């Protein structure tokens, strides 16, 4: 059973002001409340309160990993070059990898993730199909020389990760190991009190459930995602794809013939729309790209942006590049800034489904300083291929139910991935199969950002007064505050001891000579879920019990408060 933690002996120095360089809530509050201390960019010390929260998160992760039958190991963080050379990642990681030499000049690295070493471990330890499936995990310090190690512990260069790896002999086995991890992750994040969404990490085109991310919605997040308030659909923005057959034909019978307009000084969609007094959505923007070297035009409504990542995925393995000035040389049919599909006989035309048959547009007239109006799809130009290539926006229809999508930012807290045989091939990881022949093993890899989860929780739960931890991860269950004189400190310590004896983790503010105001402010900043104030009416045996989140409080006899807290 844990000891009562006295504030008078706890190494915690709270700060009234935000650190100068801090932008995110978690960075500001974890520093101000004395949970972490910065040593260098992206390198952090976990102080006593912070270490408790970090350990509480690890404990939940550990319990749920053990529950699915994964076995905990601890591999080194200091690793030899050779296995990463073999997998190609010594080079591929580029500047992200911390590389170093030992005294003999041999190359080493600080592990950013451990697929290679786990593969070697299993090759060494498992010889027969009877030794599989096996799932291994570790909670360990990882190193990545991140380009922008900002946001405190959200993106560290040294950070805590739970990484696990599954080894199976069949694809069905891998799917099962993946499903076990997926369910364990849901339990972990729910227990931690993290609001989270599961999104497929790549678009459906590249194979759906083979890789999913767990996102924690928060303004400080670096990922953008959409979710549907009606049906619960969620996806990374670049993974949202609408069926291309969504193009709904319009009736163009009353649209007059195409007409050219003199439009000097209209280099942008905005200036064009203003001059012609039409909404940007009535104009047709045509982006030229090169697909394996051949020029292709992509048409989208003027108020939308082309998502080059999506376009690239649609056209893969072809390589998509932007056109350069040289590409216009010798192409009088391509007038830079004034391209219209009606003049692109020799160019493949890809369009967003909103450019549907029968829709009429204002677009380039393929002449300098000239646009054309009433340019009708199907009458004045043809679309070769409809593809969903626009950047998704708030209110766009949900691909699964059609309701308006919400757009938000989120923190990636976990990632699960069906690797297949990539690393098993590199290291020739085979086991003896049921028929006595070697069988190649198939793998999954699964990560949780343990230290990042602490910051994500702070982001999601903090309020104007400070941190506000969910019970499962809080550094204590109760924060007892002795509001005043020696007698109250005695009573507070006595109450703390009774709560401890009943099985609670207790922090007690027994500091002499610190004003009640400062103690209350500190308690709110530190964010333990329940605050027990031993104050004015302590002599009568009456205390105040306060809920940190709701701020609701009640006065009641100490015995009742203890009963309530331990119920
Ligand atoms: P990100 O896109 O945020 O850089 P990643 O795709 O590089 O993440 P993975 O390699 O899948 O992340 O690592 C597994 C988990 O480790 C991530 O889901 C994340 O929660 C955590 N993580 C990754 N990089 C960092 C970091 N620099 N600091 C803290 N946690 C991290
Ligand atoms: Mg990364």
């Amino acid at each position: 059973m844990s000891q009562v933690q006295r504030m008078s002996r706890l190494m915690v120095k709270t700060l009234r002001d935000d650190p100068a360089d801090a932008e995110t809530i978690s960075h500001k509050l974890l520093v101000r409340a004395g949970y972490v201390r910065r040593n260098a960019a992206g390198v952090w010390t976990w102080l006593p309160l912070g270490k408790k929260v970090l350990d509480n998160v690890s404990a939940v992760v550990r319990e749920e990993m053990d529950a699915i039958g994964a076995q905990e190991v601890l591999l080194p963080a200091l690793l030899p070059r050779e296995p990463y050379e073999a997998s190609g990642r010594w080079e591929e990681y580029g500047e992200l990898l911390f590389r170093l030499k030992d005294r003999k000049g041999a190359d080493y690295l600080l592990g950013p993730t451990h697929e290679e070493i786990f593969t070697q471990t299993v090759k060494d330890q498992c010889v027969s199909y009877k030794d599989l499936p096996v799932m291994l995990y570790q909670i360990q310090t990882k190193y990545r020389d991140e380009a922008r190690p900002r946001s405190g512990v959200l993106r560290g260069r040294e950070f805590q990760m739970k990484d696990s790896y599954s080894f199976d002999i069949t694809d069905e086995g891998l799917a099962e190991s993946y499903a076990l991890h997926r369910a364990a992750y849901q339990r972990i994040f729910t227990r931690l009190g993290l609001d989270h969404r599961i999104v497929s990490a790549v678009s459906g085109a590249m194979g759906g459930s083979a890789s999913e991310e767990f996102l924690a919605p928060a303004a400080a997040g670096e990922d953008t995602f959409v979710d549907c308030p009606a049906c619960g659909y969620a996806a990374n923005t670049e993974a949202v794809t609408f069926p291309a057959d969504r193009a709904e034909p319009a009736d163009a019978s009353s649209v007059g013939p195409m007409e050219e307009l003199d439009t000097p000084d209209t280099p942008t969609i905005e200036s064009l729309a203003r001059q012609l007094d039409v909404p940007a959505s009535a104009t047709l923007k045509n982006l030229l790209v090169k697909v394996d070297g051949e020029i292709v035009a992509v048409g989208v409504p003027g108020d939308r942006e082309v998502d080059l990542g999506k376009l690239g995925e649609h056209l893969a393995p072809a390589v998509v590049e932007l056109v350069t000035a040289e590409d216009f040389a010798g192409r009088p049919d391509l007038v830079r800034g004034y391209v219209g599909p009606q003049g692109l006989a020799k160019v493949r035309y890809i369009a967003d489904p909103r450019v549907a048959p029968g829709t009429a547009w204002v677009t380039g007239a393929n002449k300098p300083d000239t646009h054309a109006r009433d340019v009708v799809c199907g009458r004045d130009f043809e679309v070769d291929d409809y593809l969903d290539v626009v950047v998704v926006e708030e209110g766009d229809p949900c691909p699964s139910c059609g309701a308006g999508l919400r757009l938000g930012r989120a923190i990636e807290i976990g990632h699960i991935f069906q690797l297949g045989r990539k690393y098993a091939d590199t290291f020739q990881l085979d086991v003896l199969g049921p028929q006595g022949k070697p069988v190649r093993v198939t793998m999954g890899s699964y990560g949780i950002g343990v230290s990042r989860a602490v910051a994500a929780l702070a982001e999601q739960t903090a309020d104007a007064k400070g941190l506000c931890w969910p019970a499962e991860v809080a550094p204590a269950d109760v924060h007892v505050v002795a509001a005043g004189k020696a007698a109250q400190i005695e009573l507070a310590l006595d109450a703390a001891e009774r709560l401890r004896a009943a099985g609670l983790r207790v922090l007690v503010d027994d500091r002499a000579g610190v004003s009640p105001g400062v103690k209350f402010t500190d308690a709110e900043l530190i964010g333990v879920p329940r605050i027990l104030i031993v104050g004015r009416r302590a002599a009568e045996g009456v205390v105040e019990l306060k809920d940190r989140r709701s701020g609701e409080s009640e006065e009641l006899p100490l015995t009742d408060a203890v009963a309530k807290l331990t119920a």
Side-chain angles (χ1 to χ4, degrees), residues 256-318:
M258 185 165 78
E259 185 191 348
E260 284 189 4
L261 306 165
D262 220 12
T263 52
D265 302 325
T266 53
T268 61
I269 291 286
E270 291 70 40
S271 53
L272 174 69
R274 214 177 311 119
Q275 197 178 99
L276 299 181
D277 195 23
V278 294
S281 59
T283 68
L284 178 58
K285 177 156 78 181
N286 302 290
L287 180 77
L288 297 178
V289 295
K290 278 188 292 182
V291 179
D292 276 350
E294 178 209 350
I295 290 189
V296 169
V298 183
V300 301
D303 62 337
R304 307 295 304 223
E305 294 301 323
V306 173
D307 187 327
L308 287 172
K310 267 186 177 180
L311 182 65
E313 254 177 46
H314 279 300
L315 301 179

Side-chain angles (χ1 to χ4, degrees), residues 144 146 153-157 159 161 223 412-415 447-449 451-452:
R144 295 182 184 180
E146 299 279 359
V153 297
L154 262 183
R155 182 172 296 282
R157 295 197 297 165
F159 59 97
M161 195 201 288
D223 291 27
E412 182 193 319
I413 45 173
H415 190 179
I448 289 181
S451 46
R452 180 179 284 187

Side-chain angles (χ1 to χ4, degrees), residues 152-387:
V153 297
L154 262 183
R155 182 172 296 282
R157 295 197 297 165
E158 171 178 297
F159 59 97
Q160 296 293 309
M161 195 201 288
K162 184 288 298 175
D163 47 328
S164 45
Y165 306 85
S166 65
F167 300 84
D168 284 271
I169 53 167
T170 62
D171 294 349
E172 297 73 46
L174 169 58
E176 204 168 303
S177 298
Y178 182 90
L180 283 170
H181 272 88
R182 192 179 195 275
Y185 276 34
Q186 287 178 284
R187 284 191 293 273
I188 289 167
F189 295 128
T190 302
R191 276 182 63 183
L192 293 180
L194 267 171
D195 177 21
H196 63 279
R197 310 275 186 285
I198 304 177
V199 300
S200 96
V202 289
S203 89
M206 290 188 61
S209 69
S211 172
E212 288 168 298
E213 288 171 359
F214 288 73
L215 300 182
E222 294 176 53
D223 291 27
T224 50
F225 79 109
V226 297
D227 70 348
C228 174
C231 75
Y233 167 89
N236 267 319
T237 42
E238 64 279 6
V240 182
T241 42
F242 300 93
D245 59 12
R246 227 185 167 83
E248 277 176 35
D251 178 13
S253 54
S254 62
V255 179
M258 185 165 78
E259 185 191 348
E260 284 189 4
L261 306 165
D262 220 12
T263 52
D265 302 325
T266 53
T268 61
I269 291 286
E270 291 70 40
S271 53
L272 174 69
R274 214 177 311 119
Q275 197 178 99
L276 299 181
D277 195 23
V278 294
S281 59
T283 68
L284 178 58
K285 177 156 78 181
N286 302 290
L287 180 77
L288 297 178
V289 295
K290 278 188 292 182
V291 179
D292 276 350
E294 178 209 350
I295 290 189
V296 169
V298 183
V300 301
D303 62 337
R304 307 295 304 223
E305 294 301 323
V306 173
D307 187 327
L308 287 172
K310 267 186 177 180
L311 182 65
E313 254 177 46
H314 279 300
L315 301 179
V319 177
V320 177
E321 297 162 289
L322 287 172
V323 291
T324 59
E326 291 97 78
D327 295 313
F328 287 90
R331 292 294 300 258
D333 59 326
L334 302 178
V335 184
R336 207 167 192 193
Y338 298 91
V339 172
Q342 70 282 15
L344 293 181
K346 285 180 274 171
V347 174
R348 177 175 167 202
Y349 194 59
I350 293 172
D352 178 76
R354 291 170 185 83
V355 189
T359 51
W361 302 90
V362 171
T363 192
N366 303 299
K367 290 181 199 163
D369 293 334
T370 315
H371 282 88
R373 113 162 117 217
D374 292 336
V375 183
V376 173
C377 178
R379 183 188 78 183
D380 303 316
F381 68 93
E382 297 293 334
V383 172
D384 296 309
D385 297 291
Y386 280 111
L387 291 178

